[in-house]
Amino acid sequence: MQHGKYRFIVGFLVAPLVLYAVFVIWPFIQSIYYSFTDWTGLSPDFKMVGFANYTRMFHDDVFWKSLEHSVYFVVLLPLVTLSLALFFAFMLNVGGRRRKGAAVTGVRGAGFYKIAYFFPQVLSIAIVALLFRFAYNPNDGAFNGALKAVGITWQPEWLGDPKLALWAVMAVLVWSTVGFFVVLFSAGMASIPKDFYEAALLDGAGRATTFFKITLPLLWDTIQSGWVYMGIMALGAEAFATVQIMTVGPGGPAYSTTVLPLYVYQSAFRDANAAYATTIGVALLIVTLLFAAVVMRLGRRERLEY
């Protein structure tokens, strides 16, 4: 029986593992291999150049700028997005006033607010980036128009100022993703027994106390997973698409918004240097793995069950 059971399990696992190896593991191996060549991406001819691409990368100022911006994304985006999502979810599920027959409830209209927060998830990130590109227009954009309407004469060039451009892009990513985590955290909070909150209220605990003593510990696993997801998103396609569509250059002005995924794309398709692009891709892979490992290590704590 045991032998038959293992054969049954292996039979189900073989096909997925083969597909994973062919479409995930093998491209990683190929990328590492090509990073030691001078392949242009346009010709099948190339030769081995050893660590020349890595030496170039370590002396490349644009690479270090891109890495710095990606670190900002991977640290600040999850911090701001998850903090806002936790606050909104807590208010929608627990932060309302007491009502008849319910000691713990959310604010009025919580269902509508959840739909409103989640709405940006319905839109493609390309559409969101394009809409905000128009909204950031210094001449007739919505933001500068709003500043004029309230009598503020300061009219910043949101995407044309190297000091503002990166933060303007990050604000768009926060706006477009916070709703997803509001819904995710709301689902987690709905599974927490109301008895915990009611007991805390009877003991005189306020909203801040119930959040830090009940909600946060019991949602910790969900928050940790969300942090990893947000970090990978900030190092991947979401950040690339937003910067590519919104910024001048793209990645400008003066490389002030260039991130690692964009620099990989530019090296491969603009500069026709696929080998150097794969080298930067290897660096991006290492950064992503280090980020996930650090978050999982720092977020490790005793699992709470209820």
Side-chain angles (χ1 to χ4, degrees), residues 113-241:
Y113 289 129
K114 289 178 184 178
I115 295 173
Y117 288 140
F118 191 76
F119 176 73
Q121 287 292 309
V122 179
L123 302 175
S124 165
I125 189 62
I127 295 175
V128 171
L130 194 60
L131 290 174
F132 272 90
R133 181 178 178 180
F134 291 126
Y136 280 133
N137 189 300
N139 298 320
D140 54 4
F143 292 122
N144 281 3
L147 293 177
K148 283 183 181 179
V150 297
I152 299 176
T153 58
W154 180 55
Q155 298 288 291
E157 293 198 12
W158 299 98
L159 299 175
D161 187 343
K163 296 181 180 179
L164 290 177
L166 186 68
W167 309 112
V169 172
M170 290 177 65
V172 174
L173 286 172
V174 171
W175 180 86
S176 65
T177 55
V178 69
F180 171 79
F181 291 101
V182 169
V183 174
L184 179 65
F185 293 152
S186 294
M189 291 178 190
S191 67
I192 299 175
K194 299 295 184 183
D195 296 345
F196 291 2
Y197 292 107
E198 292 172 357
L201 291 174
L202 290 175
D203 289 339
R207 288 178 179 174
T209 303
T210 56
F211 175 78
F212 286 105
K213 297 296 184 180
I214 298 176
T215 305
L216 192 61
L218 294 179
L219 275 183
W220 187 254
D221 289 342
T222 305
I223 296 170
Q224 186 182 44
S225 300
W227 195 290
V228 174
Y229 173 80
M230 271 296 299
I232 294 175
M233 185 200 74
L235 292 170
E238 297 279 333
F240 163 76

Side-chain angles (χ1 to χ4, degrees), residues 9-276:
I9 294 173
V10 170
F12 273 96
L13 289 178
V14 166
L17 289 176
V18 169
L19 291 174
Y20 184 79
V22 171
F23 293 104
V24 178
I25 302 299
W26 180 242
F28 282 152
I29 296 173
Q30 283 185 310
S31 297
I32 296 172
Y33 171 76
Y34 285 128
S35 69
F36 294 100
T37 70
D38 63 352
W39 184 43
T40 63
L42 303 175
S43 168
D45 301 324
F46 59 85
K47 65 177 183 293
M48 300 298 292
V49 295
F51 288 93
N53 288 320
Y54 290 93
T55 302
R56 173 185 171 184
M57 183 180 69
F58 284 121
H59 293 87
D60 186 351
D61 291 337
V62 178
F63 166 76
W64 290 110
K65 279 188 177 182
S66 304
L67 178 60
E68 179 185 357
H69 300 155
S70 291
V71 170
Y72 285 151
F73 271 57
V74 84
V75 173
L76 296 180
L77 271 179
L79 180 63
V80 175
T81 303
L82 298 184
S83 297
L84 288 174
L86 279 170
F87 172 75
F88 292 143
F90 183 77
M91 295 303 296
L92 293 177
N93 291 274
V94 185
R97 294 183 178 181
R98 295 188 185 187
R99 300 176 195 169
K100 185 178 180 180
V104 178
T105 185
V107 297
R108 293 186 182 276
F112 169 77
Y113 289 129
K114 289 178 184 178
I115 295 173
Y117 288 140
F118 191 76
F119 176 73
Q121 287 292 309
V122 179
L123 302 175
S124 165
I125 189 62
I127 295 175
V128 171
L130 194 60
L131 290 174
F132 272 90
R133 181 178 178 180
F134 291 126
Y136 280 133
N137 189 300
N139 298 320
D140 54 4
F143 292 122
N144 281 3
L147 293 177
K148 283 183 181 179
V150 297
I152 299 176
T153 58
W154 180 55
Q155 298 288 291
E157 293 198 12
W158 299 98
L159 299 175
D161 187 343
K163 296 181 180 179
L164 290 177
L166 186 68
W167 309 112
V169 172
M170 290 177 65
V172 174
L173 286 172
V174 171
W175 180 86
S176 65
T177 55
V178 69
F180 171 79
F181 291 101
V182 169
V183 174
L184 179 65
F185 293 152
S186 294
M189 291 178 190
S191 67
I192 299 175
K194 299 295 184 183
D195 296 345
F196 291 2
Y197 292 107
E198 292 172 357
L201 291 174
L202 290 175
D203 289 339
R207 288 178 179 174
T209 303
T210 56
F211 175 78
F212 286 105
K213 297 296 184 180
I214 298 176
T215 305
L216 192 61
L218 294 179
L219 275 183
W220 187 254
D221 289 342
T222 305
I223 296 170
Q224 186 182 44
S225 300
W227 195 290
V228 174
Y229 173 80
M230 271 296 299
I232 294 175
M233 185 200 74
L235 292 170
E238 297 279 333
F240 163 76
T242 309
V243 175
Q244 170 77 6
I245 295 170
M246 289 183 61
T247 61
V248 295
Y255 297 105
S256 61
T257 57
T258 304
V259 290
L260 286 177
L262 178 64
Y263 197 35
V264 170
Y265 173 83
Q266 290 176 337
S267 297
F269 297 100
R270 184 193 65 186
D271 305 334
N273 194 340
Y276 188 56

